[in-house]
Amino acid sequence: MSPAVFLSLPDFRCSLLLLVTWVLTPVTTEITSLDTENIDDILNNADVALVNFYADWCRFSQMLHPIFEEASNVIKEEYPNENQVVFARVDCDQHSDIAQRYRISKYPTLKLFRNGMMMKREYRGQRSVKALADYIRQQKSDPIQELHDLAEVTTLDRSKRNIIGYFEQKDSENYRVFERVANILHDDCAFLAAFGAVSKPERYSGDNIIYKPPGHSAPDMVYLGSMTNFDGTYNWIQDKCVPLVREITFENGEELTEEGLPFLILFHMKEDTESLEIFQNEVARQLISEKGTINFLHADCDKFRHPLLHIQKTPADCPVIAIDSFRHMYVFGDFRDVLIPGKLKQFVFDLHSGKLHREFHHGPDPTDTAPGQEVQDVASSPPESSFQKLAPSEYRYTLLRDRDEL
């Protein structure tokens, strides 16, 4: 038996201090620096990655660095596996090709990736350790609510877009694909799933996915493609979850504004669903080909009184259709004119051709006046853009460029 070894009191105190220091010292992690050589490999292998696109000379980037690092330390203790959560950064001055690839227009920009796929919504919340950590925890939470009884379907919130998957078992490729899609689109739809005996009455032809649109009158829709095909499943669900006409709120205004497309907006009272349905139908009928050139939106008249005042309207005038080009606002005629074939489409074409802008400054185009009628320049002061004020603020970001708007 080895003889006992006794430390002197000073040595014991020193050893105890080192032990306590080792126990209490927080785990520190290196923020992964991304470049053209490693970016795809690191992002593709990360369940969730939060990437800070920054520039060293940007004061907002400098302020974020220690916060970002501390948030990474906090999350690393909760998710120690290196591929569970990755905090990474890109020096956009050193790697301008990566900045261009992800269309970085301001510093700092925080983008979220899942298994290499960039999420549409970047992080725009508070820049604090707690807020960033809470955001990652939310991203790691299960986006799918499990149904334990099919009767629960009757109590769903029908103001939301609901996607329900019925599966024989949870441990299946069908469900794994469904789960991947839910992780990406959970901000746009509510995802639910039932398994085994609970789901059996709905699995008469095998596993399936059902879309329940908002309201109680619209019929359910069934996904008919391969449930193991991620692209097919994702595209079908995205089409259902992200409507052609989206609602603009103060929460998503910055995101929509930064997309850089003019707004075609229906202002309507919240309870006026009839006008919204008419607008949605006419946009789908007349303007589907313009989807990539303008954002189709609807807004609550009560919440957006200020933009209405810009065009000399009040909630009492709703429904009102207008275009905000981020330079000026233009008002469509009488709302009921939207039912005239081609009328709404011409309104949008007049924006793109510059006709709306010219007419605000110089009166009707000569081709719009009667034969023999004298054409005069009519000076005017078109209402300035109201929604431009929702764009990213220079008090929060270093903005890289100004838009060239109509």
Side-chain angles (χ1 to χ4, degrees):
M1 182 176 181
S2 300
V5 177
F6 295 96
L7 295 174
S8 64
L9 186 59
D11 287 341
F12 175 75
R13 286 174 176 170
C14 183
S15 298
L16 183 61
L17 179 61
L18 288 172
L19 177 63
V20 170
T21 302
W22 176 77
V23 170
L24 296 181
T25 299
V27 176
T28 58
T29 59
E30 285 288 328
I31 302 297
T32 304
S33 293
L34 302 178
D35 55 39
T36 52
E37 299 296 324
N38 68 8
I39 186 169
D40 290 327
D41 182 58
I42 290 174
L43 295 184
N44 288 341
N45 288 292
D47 294 341
V48 171
L50 186 63
V51 181
N52 174 17
F53 293 85
Y54 72 96
D56 278 331
W57 50 264
C58 165
R59 65 187 179 98
F60 300 111
S61 295
Q62 295 165 8
M63 293 163 63
L64 178 62
H65 282 323
I67 296 170
F68 195 71
E69 290 175 0
E70 189 174 345
S72 174
N73 293 336
V74 170
I75 289 299
K76 195 64 178 177
E77 291 185 354
E78 299 178 26
Y79 302 96
N81 186 301
E82 65 176 358
N83 289 331
Q84 284 182 296
V85 178
V86 171
F87 276 69
R89 61 188 174 192
V90 174
D91 183 335
C92 293
D93 280 343
Q94 296 293 323
H95 303 288
S96 58
D97 55 332
I98 297 178
Q100 291 174 5
R101 174 179 172 182
Y102 294 109
R103 299 181 180 180
I104 303 304
S105 61
K106 64 188 187 306
Y107 302 138
T109 293
L110 296 177
K111 288 189 175 289
L112 185 77
F113 294 78
R114 289 184 179 276
N115 303 112
M117 185 176 187
M118 185 180 73
M119 300 297 96
K120 184 177 180 181
R121 289 186 174 87
E122 64 188 55
Y123 178 78
R124 299 175 187 272
Q126 184 181 4
R127 292 174 189 158
S128 70
V129 173
K130 182 180 184 304
L132 285 170
D134 285 346
Y135 173 71
I136 293 299
R137 293 185 190 107
Q138 180 186 22
Q139 298 303 317
K140 290 294 292 180
S141 63
D142 192 344
I144 303 171
Q145 175 189 337
E146 183 172 350
L147 298 173
H148 300 284
D149 189 318
L150 291 184
E152 294 175 42
V153 175
T154 63
T155 63
L156 294 179
D157 183 352
R158 295 308 299 268
S159 66
K160 297 181 178 179
R161 298 168 183 273
N162 292 283
I163 303 288
I164 308 176
Y166 296 102
F167 304 92
E168 183 177 0
Q169 53 186 341
K170 198 169 190 176
D171 185 16
S172 65
E173 186 61 24
N174 284 352
Y175 181 70
R176 281 189 282 273
V177 169
F178 184 76
E179 190 175 36
R180 281 183 65 193
V181 174
N183 274 317
I184 297 169
L185 295 173
H186 63 88
D187 288 333
D188 301 295
C189 269
F191 285 82
L192 308 97
F195 306 94
V198 175
S199 67
K200 189 173 182 179
E202 295 290 338
R203 288 189 291 103
Y204 41 83
S205 59
D207 291 358
N208 63 83
I209 300 172
I210 302 292
Y211 167 60
K212 288 185 174 292
H216 294 275
S217 58
D220 295 349
M221 301 180 69
V222 182
Y223 175 55
L224 300 177
S226 169
M227 294 182 65
T228 58
N229 183 316
F230 170 77
D231 290 337
T233 305
Y234 172 78
N235 289 334
W236 186 83
I237 294 179
Q238 183 191 43
D239 182 62
K240 306 299 176 285
C241 291
V242 183
L244 183 60
V245 178
R246 294 177 285 175
E247 181 177 12
I248 185 168
T249 65
F250 290 112
E251 288 72 29
N252 68 4
E254 180 180 283
E255 172 193 334
L256 290 171
T257 302
E258 198 174 11
E259 290 181 10
L261 299 177
F263 292 171
L264 175 67
I265 313 173
L266 167 69
F267 295 93
H268 68 107
M269 302 304 290
K270 187 175 182 179
E271 62 276 9
D272 180 13
T273 57
E274 180 185 354
S275 295
L276 176 57
E277 186 174 351
I278 291 172
F279 182 68
Q280 290 171 327
N281 290 339
E282 292 306 317
V283 166
R285 183 178 293 114
Q286 300 184 41
L287 294 170
I288 190 67
S289 62
E290 297 299 308
K291 186 177 180 180
T293 67
I294 192 166
N295 268 325
F296 310 117
L297 306 171
H298 67 100
D300 186 329
C301 283
D302 277 330
K303 291 181 180 178
F304 286 91
R305 287 172 177 259
H306 186 68
L308 283 173
L309 288 175
H310 268 251
I311 53 176
Q312 299 180 340
K313 302 288 184 181
T314 70
D317 298 308
C318 290
V320 173
I321 296 174
I323 284 176
D324 191 319
S325 71
F326 299 135
R327 186 175 178 183
H328 297 301
M329 293 187 73
Y330 309 98
V331 184
F332 186 70
D334 184 89
F335 173 75
R336 287 288 162 182
D337 288 349
V338 77
L339 295 171
I340 300 174
K343 187 80 172 180
L344 190 61
K345 186 174 186 177
Q346 189 61 53
F347 184 52
V348 172
F349 281 4
D350 287 348
L351 169 76
H352 293 318
S353 70
K355 181 178 178 181
L356 292 180
H357 187 70
R358 289 195 306 273
E359 289 190 345
F360 256 115
H361 288 288
H362 306 294
D365 278 358
T367 54
D368 293 336
T369 57
Q373 181 179 343
E374 184 179 352
V375 178
Q376 296 178 336
D377 276 1
V378 181
S380 67
S381 300
E384 293 184 353
S385 168
S386 182
F387 288 93
Q388 174 66 16
K389 297 177 177 64
L390 297 180
S393 169
E394 61 183 8
Y395 298 106
R396 181 172 165 81
Y397 299 98
T398 298
L399 306 177
L400 299 187
R401 58 184 173 79
D402 293 323
R403 290 196 190 89
D404 180 20
E405 284 119 7
L406 295 170

